Amino acid sequence: MNEDSFDWHGFLRRWQEEWVPDEDEDPDDEAALAPLGRPGGGEAAVAAAEERLGRRLPPSYHAFLAASDGWHVGQSAGIYRLGGAADVEWFRDPFGMTPLYEENLGDDPGEEEVRLAGMWRRALRLETDSDMSHALLDPGDSDADGEWALYVYKGWSGEHPDRHPSFRAYMEAMYRRFHCSRAHRSDFVNATTRARDAEAEEGRLLALDGRYEEALVLLEGAAGFGRPGSAFLLGQVRQLLAPGTSWSPGHLVGDPVYGPELLPLEAAQTVRQNQGPDGDERWVTTAVARGADREDAEAVLGALRDGSHRYAPPGAWGRAVTEARETALRGATDAAWRVLREALPRWEAPGPLLLAPLGLLADPVLGPLVTPERGRELLATPRAGGTGPVPVPAPDLDPPGLVWLTEPVAPWTRRPIDGYRCVWAEGVDPARLSALIGEEGAGPGEPVHAPWIRGYGSRPGAREGLEPWEDRAVVAVGVTDEGWAFAFDRHAHRLPGERLRSPAVDASATGRAVMVWREPGDVSGGGSPAAFHLSVAEDGEERYAFTVRGTEVRRSGAIPEALDPALLLRSGGGDGTGDGTGTGEEYGDGLDETEVERRLLRALHAGLGLSLPRFALTLGALRTFATRSWTRAPHAGEGYAVLRFVRHRP
């Protein structure tokens, strides 16, 4: 920060010329109408102050005092007036703050914590009038230019002091605060407000041209001065750069032009926070207070809760949204995004304050598709009449095949899906698959966000009327790129052995069907290893199957060479031969469980053309239905045991 080039006289003169009392200040109060500063004493007065204090003052504060002997900040953050050269003095911690901060340092405090604890005894106090607040320059917190950080401590707040990197930074922040506090007044017009409004408009047009990075700088500048509409424009850009973060569009949720886009977006944030009925009512009440219709707010919130909400804009963009939703509901989220990407230039803004189709983010199916990378792609795409180059498309997110099941399901977790099971049926649609393997009356319902899909027993009353031996599942349903309908359950537990009733048999009524069950291993290390089961059926009959558990393989039927575990799991420890009689055989000695699973999944993709959409099954939204039992009824004279665990609170 070069103070030699900063015009303190011009900066303070502009502030003085633009000054109007705040609405909270008495317009007849002489102090409110008096000049903000006093003529500075020049270098001589500053030098005298430095000699008295025994320390050279930091450059920006030194230059300020030479230009103005103090300043009336107004009612800004508890500081009303900064004193002149003769008023500044060492703070010396008169309230005993140092011991309080030192007590909270802990065993391994950070550099900033230690510096703040020592600030109270060495800081320079600048204010002469305040509301139990202090403006403190800390010589122990300096930068390469010799600037001292300025801390504003609001004694009535109980909070840590606010830090500004220099005195100049503090004064510029207070000037912006002065503008923000008066920006709503129609009579507050000056050269600065006109310049900032022009920047906001330029930023709006640049954003529609896809030049969002340039727009961001201009909008941040205008929003920093509180210019009307600028914060809303800026918030849209930030929302698309970090989709899913909390953001409130304020009173525009009740605006008839913008409300249809914004009300669902804000309601979706409430649903994600999942604060229950009380939280829902608080949001509805707040939305109504900002002009929204109560019935509309309740209806939107309810539709988002049950997954039935639909983003339905008009025109060519709306037709693309409908097509993309149906594509995403099949699991083809990359293809769905391509549909949206190609149609985005045809999006038309309902009003000048909307920069992008924000309602898309609230759609239960399409909203999850807008990742931060795709949010940037959306912002970089010219739309609503904007002109500019089309950006390089963001890469697809779904890997081919099935091996992704052995990898972490999301960037923020290192864990893959541990236990899962899936049924594929060739040449049928999801509705037909639900009829083949679903419980009576089951059919694909409203889409459910993948992390919210729970096991069958988690639904209230789910087990009423069921036999104790039944094992039903709630499955996510879709279609692979190769034309197989799939039903996927990510909450599979132990294989039932001889009691397994493969849903592939029922699913194969009109052709081929495949069932895979990956049983998780015993994480404690004292039990059985993980197991992998494959069952392939056709025309209502199981053709072949095998189960791999550790180094043991059990098999039945004529397994094709491309799927034969004797070949797939061959390692240096065995010859991979087997008689195919269904007895236990050993393969894969030396292969860990993950490598075994990967080999089998690669073979299923190569040999049968099976795949699953990673994004839809981990981060997206798909329809679900409840299946019939994956275990058969016990035979006559066959016993079984049922264990129930009940948690008792002390």
Side-chain angles (χ1 to χ4, degrees):
M1 183 181 292
N2 186 357
E3 285 307 310
D4 294 337
S5 62
F6 186 72
D7 182 7
W8 275 101
H9 287 284
F11 172 69
L12 298 174
R13 181 171 58 251
R14 182 170 67 252
W15 194 342
Q16 178 69 69
E17 291 172 351
E18 294 171 351
W19 176 263
V20 292
D22 194 5
E23 291 175 336
D24 293 336
E25 295 178 296
D26 184 354
D28 297 326
D29 184 358
E30 293 184 3
L33 298 175
L36 302 180
R38 298 187 296 262
E43 290 296 329
V46 179
E50 291 177 332
E51 182 177 0
R52 174 173 59 84
L53 297 168
R55 187 76 184 256
R56 181 165 179 82
L57 297 173
S60 64
Y61 187 53
H62 181 113
F64 163 77
L65 288 177
S68 178
D69 196 37
W71 194 256
H72 176 60
V73 184
Q75 297 182 5
S76 296
I79 304 296
Y80 302 155
R81 177 168 287 280
L82 300 173
D87 302 309
V88 63
E89 59 185 21
W90 296 111
F91 188 55
R92 305 189 190 282
D93 194 11
F95 307 113
M97 302 299 294
T98 302
L100 295 177
Y101 276 75
E102 288 179 341
E103 288 175 3
N104 296 321
L105 287 179
D107 296 332
D108 187 22
E111 182 180 344
E112 294 181 0
E113 294 176 289
V114 173
R115 191 163 52 225
L116 181 58
M119 183 268 296
W120 309 97
R121 288 176 178 165
R122 62 175 178 255
L124 202 62
R125 182 180 63 81
L126 308 187
E127 87 289 341
T128 57
D129 187 15
S130 69
D131 178 15
M132 296 177 61
S133 300
H134 303 284
L136 305 173
L137 271 176
D138 181 13
D141 186 354
S142 61
D143 62 17
D145 296 322
E147 293 291 351
W148 304 357
L150 188 147
Y151 290 86
V152 175
Y153 175 62
K154 294 167 282 193
W156 42 266
S157 71
E159 301 172 351
H160 279 1
D162 297 327
R163 181 184 183 276
H164 302 268
S166 67
F167 178 78
R168 173 181 161 185
Y170 165 73
M171 288 293 282
E172 289 176 325
M174 294 305 99
Y175 176 61
R176 291 192 298 270
R177 190 183 184 101
F178 152 69
H179 266 267
C180 288
S181 66
R182 291 150 175 83
H184 65 284
R185 294 172 52 166
S186 60
D187 61 341
F188 187 64
V189 179
N190 49 59
T192 301
T193 62
R194 287 190 289 268
R196 296 299 180 181
D197 287 342
E199 286 180 352
E201 177 60 14
E202 183 182 358
R204 185 184 75 85
L205 296 176
L206 285 172
L208 294 177
D209 286 344
R211 298 163 61 183
Y212 72 92
E213 291 174 319
E214 299 171 68
L216 193 62
V217 174
L218 293 173
L219 294 174
E220 285 176 340
F225 281 77
R227 299 315 303 157
S230 58
F232 176 65
L233 295 171
L234 177 63
Q236 295 175 67
V237 178
R238 289 176 172 170
Q239 179 71 191
L240 287 165
L241 290 175
T245 55
S246 296
W247 172 63
S248 174
H251 286 274
L252 288 177
V253 297
D255 188 286
V257 173
Y258 303 106
E261 293 266 349
L262 302 178
L263 192 66
L265 176 63
E266 196 173 80
Q269 296 172 4
T270 298
V271 170
R272 283 194 298 270
Q273 293 167 359
N274 199 25
Q275 297 178 350
D278 290 342
D280 286 359
E281 178 57 29
R282 282 194 300 271
W283 176 79
V284 170
T285 301
T286 301
V288 171
R290 286 181 287 156
D293 180 79
R294 171 170 283 275
E295 290 186 2
D296 289 346
E298 291 175 342
V300 165
L301 190 60
L304 284 162
R305 283 247 177 250
D306 64 25
S308 63
H309 174 71
R310 299 289 182 271
Y311 173 53
W317 169 246
R319 292 190 291 273
V321 167
T322 299
E323 179 185 350
R325 182 183 297 107
E326 291 305 312
T327 303
L329 281 172
R330 296 197 298 270
T333 55
D334 287 332
W337 179 251
R338 289 194 289 271
V339 171
L340 294 173
R341 181 171 62 206
E342 292 171 4
L344 187 59
R346 299 194 294 275
W347 172 74
E348 297 179 359
L353 286 179
L354 204 63
L355 297 178
L358 296 182
L360 182 69
L361 301 178
D363 189 281
V365 175
L366 299 177
L369 273 59
V370 188
T371 62
E373 293 78 13
R374 287 170 171 171
R376 289 193 292 270
E377 183 181 10
L378 189 157
L379 285 169
T381 302
R383 56 204 178 275
T387 58
V390 176
V392 176
D396 287 348
L397 300 180
D398 273 338
L402 298 166
V403 173
W404 67 264
L405 287 164
T406 66
E407 301 168 350
V409 297
W412 57 83
T413 176
R414 297 181 180 179
R415 294 181 59 83
I417 299 174
D418 194 14
Y420 59 83
R421 52 188 173 181
C422 185
V423 179
W424 291 265
E426 190 174 23
V428 301
D429 61 25
R432 177 60 177 157
L433 181 58
S434 69
L436 291 171
I437 67 172
E439 62 185 7
E440 185 177 354
E446 296 294 350
V448 180
H449 190 37
W452 296 353
I453 300 175
R454 299 290 182 258
Y456 188 88
S458 66
R459 301 185 304 169
R463 299 207 59 84
E464 293 179 4
L466 299 187
E467 297 293 340
W469 50 264
E470 289 192 275
D471 174 18
R472 305 196 182 202
V474 175
V475 290
V477 62
V479 181
T480 71
D481 290 340
E482 299 84 3
W484 294 74
F486 66 83
F488 183 82
D489 172 26
R490 63 184 296 173
H491 300 286
H493 301 294
R494 293 189 62 82
L495 275 161
E498 296 297 327
R499 294 186 296 107
L500 173 64
R501 181 181 182 276
S502 173
V505 174
D506 291 336
S508 70
T510 59
R512 285 192 303 172
V514 180
M515 188 272 281
V516 162
W517 188 320
R518 201 275 187 183
E519 173 194 299
D522 186 345
V523 295
S524 66
S528 61
F532 189 96
H533 177 82
L534 170 71
S535 171
V536 178
E538 189 169 3
D539 299 327
E541 294 184 8
E542 184 175 85
R543 302 301 186 186
Y544 56 89
F546 65 74
T547 302
V548 178
R549 185 185 300 278
T551 60
E552 181 183 7
V553 178
R554 293 187 175 274
R555 52 193 289 161
S556 63
I559 301 174
E561 183 176 306
L563 298 175
D564 192 339
L567 302 176
L568 295 173
L569 305 182
R570 179 181 294 165
S571 66
D575 60 9
T577 59
D579 59 12
T581 62
T583 58
E585 308 160 19
E586 291 193 357
Y587 306 106
D589 186 22
L591 299 178
D592 62 30
E593 291 179 349
T594 301
E595 178 57 26
V596 168
E597 184 182 0
R598 285 174 179 160
R599 290 190 182 191
L600 295 171
L601 293 173
R602 288 192 193 103
L604 290 174
H605 177 54
L608 294 175
L610 298 182
S611 66
L612 284 172
R614 179 175 64 182
F615 190 92
L617 288 171
T618 58
L619 299 173
L622 290 171
R623 294 188 174 101
T624 66
F625 68 86
T627 69
R628 295 194 287 274
S629 178
W630 296 53
T631 54
R632 63 167 173 77
H635 293 158
E638 186 178 35
Y640 64 91
V642 177
L643 300 180
R644 289 188 175 90
F645 298 90
V646 180
R647 178 181 297 176
H648 292 283
R649 295 182 178 179

